[in-house]
């Protein structure tokens, strides 16, 4: 490796982009969203076409390989290998040209599918194929896999939209592949270039009558719309000059679905479709069984829907426990065995209602279905979100058994689907297995995932046995082993069985023609190793029992990290909305994804030879830019709580390496603030004065450019002791949690909150309790936090009930009662913590509920007109919702509230103060929040429930943001 390291150093010096060959980066790129794991030689992040050519030339001379990668969401191990991973997702992201008259767009391979459609929408177009990963899936990957999606009954696959590809061939030469007339095709066959050789050899292979007969007899039947078995020579054969009267020859047909094994794509020209009719309706038919739903699907297809998608009872059960998806179950009646989501797009709702009635009548006449809700508008997005979440939710099983991708991509003729699934389930039953069923019923493809433990010898054996037996079943129905997820290294081994020995040799010859040195993504599609080798989990692997401080329900810390299946939901950008993952949104580096953090932790907890397996600098480096925003806890479909994993890791890392001074200083915020509150004027002068403030920041490790929070002239507790409210006899009593931030810094907000509540007839009591523990949690000092938490449970649990709830002002403090307090409660305090959590509310939640119950009305508030722009707190969005904040701010009759579509503000407690994190913190703010605030008129109110958020808005825009309670108090008619 020493000699190779020197070669890689030389290669690095020649690139405009980056080249990494350290253990950390290689580990992060050793997996994708599949079951496979293989350490690459290096990871390249190229910036230019010349970088790509330099990498290809290096691979040729160094006898290694190039593995193209975009979002890394492949399910068959396509982007896993021992060569150089070439990630084009960061720099090859340009939309180059659109031609509205001719209905095409030209893009680089790193353009995200949903963001392409955001660009196309003003022109009246869209790129049709839509994968469940569309908010992070990139066009290069969609071409490589020939992706389809839920709407493939209308838009078919990427192949049907691929007009032209610009690529680099294995010898470093450039080539443009597009539609060719007969004369142009034959002209391309002339010459001594690699491109000419490719055309000549293809003409020879596909012009051979025996080959033609073999292809037509052995490849999946044409009525199987989704067929991605091997290279698409069956599709290429149905073009001139090989088949009379067919469309012109275009190598794009072959390149689509070739998984980066033939050439390196640099530009892609796509056909685009006019936007569909504006009205969309979803008929969500409930069935008692999957078989019943598949028979009904044949009826649905007679009415020409734009999609017909299956959701089975296993997924529906998973959604009951997912914080984000439980909101999307509103339409589910009872516990159906399956739901068929049938989509119709028309110009008016009336048209859709007529079709839906016809479908319902036909199904009821056939004795199929028992509930037929028809949904429109915003509700349709909730349904598709529920369906798309299926992939991630399947990995949310707490133990070592997982729904594994092994035979999840089979496709048959839609009319064969009911019988095929019956046979499929008989095979699983024979092995005492069961499977999740979901996705594309309308296209003859269901994503079928058996539950298997790949850590065991038996699980590994079953992984292979099931693949072999299902491959035989698919061949029986003349279907395709891959419908849209590709062959990769998972299904490549079975291609010979699927298409016959002669055709398989033809596919190998095609690979040899295009890539004689096997530089491009070798051992995928052809010459693949056994499918049950190089897996993430080694059969019989042993890991120690991890004694964690946090409570991980029905699992240990490693198993929680293993819930990440690599689906890459954390790679969406700010344009797609949501909170997860703010650091990735700003840097666009894989290292800064939630997925990377779970991967690095899983890797070292599994393979470390240290007694303390957390004691690895590599884990620290990858965890460093996690803002602990909690976005992943709700937005990750697998509910991987990386903030929790980071805190657990930090404590064990500190055990081995000591606690840094700054971490101790931040964790001890309450103690230092208490000391400062004795002389708040002196404290404020010291931190605000240019000289002393800069000195304090430098000594503390804080960014000099960051302003420091001031202490109020008194604490909230001191004010409360001297406060004499009017006598309140309403019997409405509540307890206010006096968190450390409101007590020392945001005292004025606390005063207004108490005054507002008292004016509205509530008796407010500040009980005896300690600080919240938030600062200790944020720095990973969770043993100290645990002591505080258990003391607070003991002090408060007897007081708090449905009649006397506990409310709080700062989201990160009060919401910890519903999160970390339960995970860190002692066994003795656990029941009390769980019971108390039911009666703990953010003040916004409490007031919103009182408004909804008719206990507070708008007559008490001003009739002035105001526009409010609201930025929600990250943990509020994860553990609660911004809806209560919107509700209370909308109470005054003429107040209009708009929610800023921002994720994390970037401050995240102390994160934005720390000198090495300051620039990233501000960069996150600049994604959405800062530009939106700057565009507002001077009289627009900026609202933010979080103390860190308000501080960040002030530092980033100069505007003062107010807590919703302040705004409501100011609107109160005194």
């Amino acid at each position: 490796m020493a000699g190779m390291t020197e070669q890689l150093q030389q290669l690095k010096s020649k690139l405009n982009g980056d080249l990494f060959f350290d253990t950390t980066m290689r580990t992060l790129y050793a997996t994708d969203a599949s079951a496979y794991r293989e350490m690459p030689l290096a990871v390249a992040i190229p910036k230019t076409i010349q970088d790509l050519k330099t990498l290809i030339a290096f691979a040729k001379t160094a006898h290694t390989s190039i593995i193209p990668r975009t979002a890394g969401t492949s399910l068959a191990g396509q982007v896993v290998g021992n060569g150089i991973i070439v990630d084009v997702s960061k720099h090859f992201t340009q939309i180059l040209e659109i031609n509205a008259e001719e209905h095409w767009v030209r893009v680089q391979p790193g353009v995200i599918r949903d963001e392409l459609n955001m660009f196309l929408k003003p022109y009246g177009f869209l790129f049709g194929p839509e994968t469940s990963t569309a908010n992070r899936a990139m066009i290069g990957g969609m071409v490589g896999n020939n992706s389809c999606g839920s709407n493939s009954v209308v838009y078919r696959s990427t192949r049907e939209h691929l007009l032209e590809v610009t690529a680099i061939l294995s010898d470093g030469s450039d080539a443009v592949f597009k539609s060719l007339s007969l004369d142009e095709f034959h002209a391309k066959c002339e010459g001594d270039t690699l491109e000419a050789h490719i055309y000549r050899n293809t003409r020879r292979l596909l012009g051979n009558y025996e080959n033609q007969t073999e292809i037509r007899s052995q490849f999946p039947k044409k009525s199987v719309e989704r067929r991605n078995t091997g290279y698409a020579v069956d599709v290429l054969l149905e073009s001139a000059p090989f088949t009379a009267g067919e469309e012109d020859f275009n190598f794009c047909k072959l390149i689509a679905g070739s998984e980066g094994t033939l050439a390196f794509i640099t530009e892609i020209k796509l056909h685009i479709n006019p936007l569909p009719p504006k009205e969309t309706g979803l008929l969500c038919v409930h069935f008692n069984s999957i078989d019943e739903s598949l028979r009904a699907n044949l009826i649905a297809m007679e009415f020409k829907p734009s999609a017909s998608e299956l959701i089975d009872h296993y997924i529906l059960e998973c959604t009951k426990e997912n914080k984000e998806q439980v909101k999307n179950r509103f339409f589910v009646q009872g516990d159906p065995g399956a739901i068929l989501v049938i989509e119709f797009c028309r110009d008016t709702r009336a048209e859709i209602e007529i079709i839906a009635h016809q479908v319902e009548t036909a199904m009821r006449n056939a004795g199929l279905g028992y509930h037929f809700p028809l949904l429109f508008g915003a509700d349709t997005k909730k349904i598709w979100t529920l369906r798309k979440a299926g992939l991630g939710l399947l990995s949310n099983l707490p133990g070592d058994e997982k729904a594994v991708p092994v035979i999840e991509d089979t496709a048959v003729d839609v009319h064969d689907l009911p019988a095929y699934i019956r046979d499929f389930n008989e095979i699983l039953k024979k092995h005492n297995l069961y499977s999740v069923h979901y996705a594309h019923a309308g296209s003859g493809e269901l994503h079928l995932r058996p539950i298997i433990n790949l850590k065991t010898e038996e699980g590994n054996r079953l992984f292979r046995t099931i693949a072999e037996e299902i491959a035989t079943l698919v061949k029986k129905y003349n279907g395709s082993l891959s419908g849209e997820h590709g062959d990769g290294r998972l299904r490549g081994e079975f291609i010979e069985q699927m298409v016959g020995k002669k055709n398989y040799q033809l596919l190998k010859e095609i690979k040899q023609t295009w890539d004689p040195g096997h530089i491009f993504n070798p051992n995928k599609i052809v010459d693949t190793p056994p499918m049950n080798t190089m897996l993430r989990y080694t059969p019989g692997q042993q890991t120690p029992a991890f004694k964690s401080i946090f409570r991980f329900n029905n699992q240990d810390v490693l198993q929680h990290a293993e819930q990440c299946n690599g689906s890459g939901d954390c790679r969406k950008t700010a344009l797609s909305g949501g909170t997860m993952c703010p650091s990735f949104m700003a840097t666009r580096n894989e290292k800064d994804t939630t997925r990377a953090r779970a991967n690095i932790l899983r890797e070292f907890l599994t393979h470390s030879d240290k007694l303390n397996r957390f004691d690895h600098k590599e884990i620290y480096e990858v965890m460093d830019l996690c803002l602990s925003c909690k976005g992943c806890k709700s937005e990750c479909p697998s509910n991987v709580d990386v903030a929790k994993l980071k805190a657990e890791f930090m404590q064990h890392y500190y055990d081995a390496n000591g606690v840094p001074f700054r971490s101790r200083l931040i964790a001890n915020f309450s103690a230092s603030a208490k000391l400062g509150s004795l002389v708040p004027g002196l404290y404020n002068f010291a931190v605000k004065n240019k000289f002393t403030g800069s000195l304090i920041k430098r000594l503390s490790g804080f960014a000099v450019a960051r302003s420091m929070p001031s202490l109020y002239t008194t604490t909230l507790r001191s004010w409360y002791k001297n406060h004499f409210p009017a006598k309140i006899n309403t019997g409405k009593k509540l307890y206010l949690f006096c968190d450390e931030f409101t007590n020392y810094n945001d005292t004025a907000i606390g005063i207004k909150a108490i005054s507002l509540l008292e004016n509205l007839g509530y008796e407010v009591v500040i009980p005896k309790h300690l600080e919240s523990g938030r600062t200790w949690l944020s720095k990973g000092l969770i043993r100290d936090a645990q002591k505080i938490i258990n003391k607070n449970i003991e002090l408060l649990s007897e007081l708090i009930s449905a009649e006397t709830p506990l409310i709080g002002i700062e989201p990160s403090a009060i919401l910890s009662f519903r999160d970390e307090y339960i995970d860190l409660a002692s066994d003795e305090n656990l029941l009390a913590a769980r019971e108390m959590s039911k009666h703990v509310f953010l003040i916004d939640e409490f007031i919103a509920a009182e408004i909804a119950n008719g206990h507070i009305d708008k007559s008490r508030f001003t009739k002035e007109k105001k526009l409010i722009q609201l930025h929600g707190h990250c943990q509020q969005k994860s553990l609660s919702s911004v809806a209560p904040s919107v509700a209370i701010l909308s109470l005054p009759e003429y107040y209009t509230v708009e929610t800023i579509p921002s994720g994390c503000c970037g401050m995240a407690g102390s994160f934005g103060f720390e000198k090495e994190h300051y620039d990233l913190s501000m960069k996150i703010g600049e994604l959405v929040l800062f530009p939106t605030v700057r565009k507002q008129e001077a009289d627009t109110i900026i609202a933010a429930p979080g103390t860190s958020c308000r501080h960040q808005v002030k530092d980033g825009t100069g505007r003062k943001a107010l807590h919703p309670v302040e705004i409501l108090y100011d609107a109160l008619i005194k």
Side-chain angles (χ1 to χ4, degrees), residues 419-596:
Y420 168 75
I421 292 299
R422 283 194 294 273
D423 289 349
F424 174 93
N425 283 323
E426 283 299 315
I427 291 174
L428 291 195
K429 186 178 179 181
K430 180 178 69 174
H431 294 286
N432 295 314
L433 294 173
Y434 65 93
S435 174
V436 177
H437 303 65
Y438 72 105
H440 318 299
S443 305
E445 173 174 11
L446 295 184
H447 293 324
L448 306 152
R449 294 188 171 216
I451 312 297
I452 297 176
N453 181 359
L454 288 177
K455 292 183 179 179
T456 66
E457 296 282 357
E458 174 64 11
N460 184 276
R461 184 191 65 77
L462 272 175
F463 186 65
R464 179 174 192 84
T465 300
I466 293 300
E468 291 171 342
E469 294 188 16
I470 297 302
T472 301
L473 179 65
V474 172
K475 184 63 177 176
K476 170 187 169 182
Y477 284 93
N478 208 6
S480 178
L481 202 55
S482 171
E484 63 176 340
H485 294 165
D487 295 313
R489 59 199 308 164
L490 175 61
R491 285 171 275 270
E493 186 181 354
F494 303 104
I495 291 177
E496 184 173 344
Q497 177 185 352
M498 303 307 295
V499 302
K501 187 172 183 178
K502 185 175 178 64
N503 282 331
Y504 184 67
Q505 291 304 314
L506 185 147
L507 300 185
K508 290 181 69 173
E509 190 167 348
I510 286 172
K511 168 67 174 174
Q512 185 68 22
T513 300
W514 284 73
D515 183 20
H518 287 218
I519 290 170
F520 293 132
N521 209 8
N523 308 125
K524 315 291 162 55
I525 301 181
V526 297
D527 298 319
T528 57
M531 55 79 68
N532 58 333
T533 58
M534 301 304 293
L535 299 176
R536 286 194 192 198
Y537 306 118
T538 304
Q541 71 180 48
Q542 298 295 316
T543 51
F546 292 98
K547 186 173 176 55
S548 62
I549 302 154
F550 273 115
R551 182 176 283 105
F552 290 90
N553 292 324
N554 300 315
Q555 59 183 185
D556 62 28
V557 60
L558 173 59
Q559 289 171 325
H560 189 67
E562 288 172 346
Q563 280 185 197
C564 173
N565 67 355
S567 61
D569 297 67
C570 46
R571 284 185 59 96
K572 60 183 168 54
T573 72
L575 291 176
S576 292
T579 301
M580 178 181 72
C581 175
S583 51
F584 173 77
M585 288 181 181
T587 69
R588 299 293 289 270
N589 293 328
E590 173 68 24
K591 183 180 177 182
D592 302 323
T593 61
T594 308
R595 172 171 72 179

Side-chain angles (χ1 to χ4, degrees), residues 28-290:
L28 299 182
Y29 282 84
T31 55
D32 51 11
S34 73
Y36 294 95
R37 171 188 173 273
E38 187 171 6
M39 288 289 277
L41 175 67
V43 176
I45 316 291
K47 278 188 176 179
T48 64
I49 300 293
Q50 185 55 51
D51 278 353
L52 295 175
K53 292 189 174 185
T54 300
L55 287 162
I56 291 167
F58 175 85
K60 192 171 183 179
T61 58
H63 304 291
T64 187
S65 60
I66 295 295
I67 303 162
R69 174 169 167 144
T70 50
T73 59
S74 46
L75 289 163
Q78 290 96 319
V79 296
V80 174
N82 61 12
I84 301 174
I85 305 286
V86 181
D87 183 351
V88 297
S89 68
K90 186 171 183 178
H91 299 300
F92 286 76
T93 59
Q94 299 299 306
I95 299 172
L96 302 168
E97 184 180 5
I98 180 174
N99 188 316
E101 289 183 5
E102 297 180 10
H103 291 202
W104 58 259
V105 65
R106 192 162 54 90
V107 302
Q108 290 183 314
V111 171
I112 294 172
R113 185 269 182 190
D114 277 1
E115 294 182 11
L116 172 60
N117 279 353
M118 291 176 197
F119 170 83
L120 293 173
K121 188 174 181 180
Y123 295 93
F125 293 97
L126 88 164
F127 172 60
E130 178 185 23
T131 65
S132 64
T133 56
N135 64 358
R136 68 267 189 203
M138 296 177 175
I139 300 301
M142 293 185 72
V143 170
N145 274 358
N146 188 35
S147 299
C148 302
S150 60
N151 55 16
S152 65
V153 294
V154 174
Y155 296 113
R156 303 186 70 189
S157 70
T158 301
R159 179 178 289 126
E160 281 72 43
H161 299 265
L162 189 60
L163 302 176
E164 186 176 304
V165 162
T166 302
I168 305 170
L169 300 181
S170 60
D171 65 349
S173 61
D174 297 311
V176 177
F177 299 104
K178 60 183 179 179
S179 181
L180 301 173
S181 67
L182 194 59
D183 289 343
E184 289 171 328
F185 173 80
H186 289 302
K188 282 282 188 181
C189 295
E190 303 301 319
D192 57 1
T193 64
L194 176 57
E195 182 182 3
H197 176 61
I198 290 169
Y199 275 97
R200 271 198 308 277
N201 211 32
T202 301
R203 181 174 62 180
R204 178 182 64 82
L205 290 171
L206 295 188
N208 181 291
Y209 178 74
E210 288 185 11
N211 288 345
Q212 291 181 357
T213 302
E214 191 73 11
I215 290 169
R216 289 183 172 124
S217 66
Q218 291 295 321
F219 266 72
K221 56 186 177 183
K222 291 181 182 180
S223 59
V224 179
E225 287 287 346
R226 293 162 172 260
R227 52 190 201 276
N228 268 351
T229 298
Y231 297 120
V233 291
D234 57 327
V235 178
L236 201 61
L237 180 59
E238 304 304 322
S239 60
F242 310 113
T243 303
E246 295 293 342
E247 61 184 340
D248 288 342
F249 182 90
N250 190 339
F251 259 135
C252 289
K253 304 294 184 186
L254 189 74
I255 291 170
S258 65
E259 302 178 6
T261 62
L262 301 180
F264 202 110
I265 297 172
T266 58
E267 288 183 16
I268 299 162
K269 182 178 175 182
L270 297 167
H271 167 262
I272 51 180
N273 291 91
L275 290 170
K278 290 183 179 180
E279 282 294 343
T280 298
L282 299 182
L283 184 63
C284 303
V285 190
H286 293 44
F287 301 93
N288 293 308
S289 69
I290 289 169

